[in-house]
Amino acid sequence: SDLLGAAAAGLRNILIITGDPPMTGPYPDSTAVFDIDSIGLANLVYRLNQGLDPGNNPIGAPTKWVVGVGVNPGAMDLDRELSRFAWKVDAGAEFAVTQPVFDPRQLEAFLKRVEQFRIPVVAGVWPLISLRNAEFLANEVPGVSVPDEILQRMRQAQERGKEAALAEGVTIAREMFARVKGMVQGVQVSAPFGRVEVALEVFRP
């Protein structure tokens, strides 16, 4: 119903990713996001685009979603990630957005393995705002690979203060942007913790 309502409101682009467990949000008693995974949801959206609901009943005018999915170049089990990516493409995915990239060589190797799928890949770039932010991504977020070199740069910058750490994080993001933009079909720069001004800094010369 949310998908149909959003389509009726004029939305056309959707990025399908697995969400967080309910206990991390404001509605701990709600149904878990794992009732349907990203592959199943991509299949559902594809059917809506064909004018069919999950029960194969016609819905009238079909939706016109452009379907994007998440992909993880730094997955611990890369073969499983590639298999899931293949299923997502088979389910109707039309573009993919990666986890934040801090190791361009890792992304380059991954892209060579997914060339066969022939859908656009958008690289994620995350401006680090502190050493703590870098360490959290490195240690607590599955699939995000933060090389020791990046952690060391953030550690040295943090010793000079929080403003220096933020500036170094933006510099690293600019470097990632410059190195990956020629490999992919687009780059998505995140606004860390809603700080849009930090994302905009990445684009400034």
Side-chain angles (χ1 to χ4, degrees), residues 131 152-162 164-165:
L131 172 61
Q152 183 61 23
R153 286 175 61 177
M154 291 301 297
R155 191 171 292 112
Q156 292 173 349
Q158 193 74 49
E159 290 173 356
R160 302 195 302 273
K162 64 179 183 179

Side-chain angles (χ1 to χ4, degrees), residues 65-82:
W65 290 111
V66 178
V67 182
V69 294
V71 67
N72 188 353
M76 296 291 290
D77 187 344
L78 190 54
D79 287 336
R80 181 175 183 274
E81 180 68 15
L82 289 166

Side-chain angles (χ1 to χ4, degrees), residues 25-193:
Y27 304 104
D29 297 324
S30 62
T31 304
V33 298
F34 308 109
D35 284 352
I36 183 170
D37 67 5
S38 54
I39 298 167
L41 188 55
N43 270 302
L44 189 151
V45 174
Y46 176 80
R47 295 187 69 76
L48 293 177
N49 280 349
Q50 308 306 308
L52 299 170
D53 72 7
N56 211 34
N57 302 302
I59 61 172
T63 57
K64 298 178 181 178
W65 290 111
V66 178
V67 182
V69 294
V71 67
N72 188 353
M76 296 291 290
D77 187 344
L78 190 54
D79 287 336
R80 181 175 183 274
E81 180 68 15
L82 289 166
S83 178
R84 287 182 57 81
F85 186 50
W87 291 337
K88 291 175 184 179
V89 174
D90 189 56
E94 297 170 86
F95 70 95
V97 180
T98 75
Q99 287 274 43
V101 175
F102 295 100
D103 186 346
R105 291 168 296 185
Q106 183 185 70
L107 175 64
E108 185 176 23
F110 179 81
L111 290 172
K112 288 178 181 178
R113 297 191 64 178
V114 299
E115 284 178 341
Q116 58 184 304
F117 300 114
R118 300 184 181 279
I119 67 169
V121 175
V122 177
V125 170
W126 179 282
L128 298 166
I129 63 171
S130 65
L131 172 61
R132 182 179 179 183
N133 182 209
E135 291 177 335
F136 178 82
L137 289 173
N139 299 316
E140 303 297 334
V141 181
V144 177
S145 176
V146 184
D148 290 340
E149 174 192 350
I150 298 295
L151 291 172
Q152 183 61 23
R153 286 175 61 177
M154 291 301 297
R155 191 171 292 112
Q156 292 173 349
Q158 193 74 49
E159 290 173 356
R160 302 195 302 273
K162 64 179 183 179
E163 292 301 323
L166 176 58
E168 185 67 11
V170 170
T171 296
I172 291 168
R174 286 174 176 162
E175 292 172 4
M176 295 302 111
F177 184 95
R179 291 185 63 181
V180 305
K181 67 180 181 179
M183 303 179 194
V184 290
Q185 288 68 56
V187 179
Q188 172 260 321
V189 178
S190 296
F193 308 104

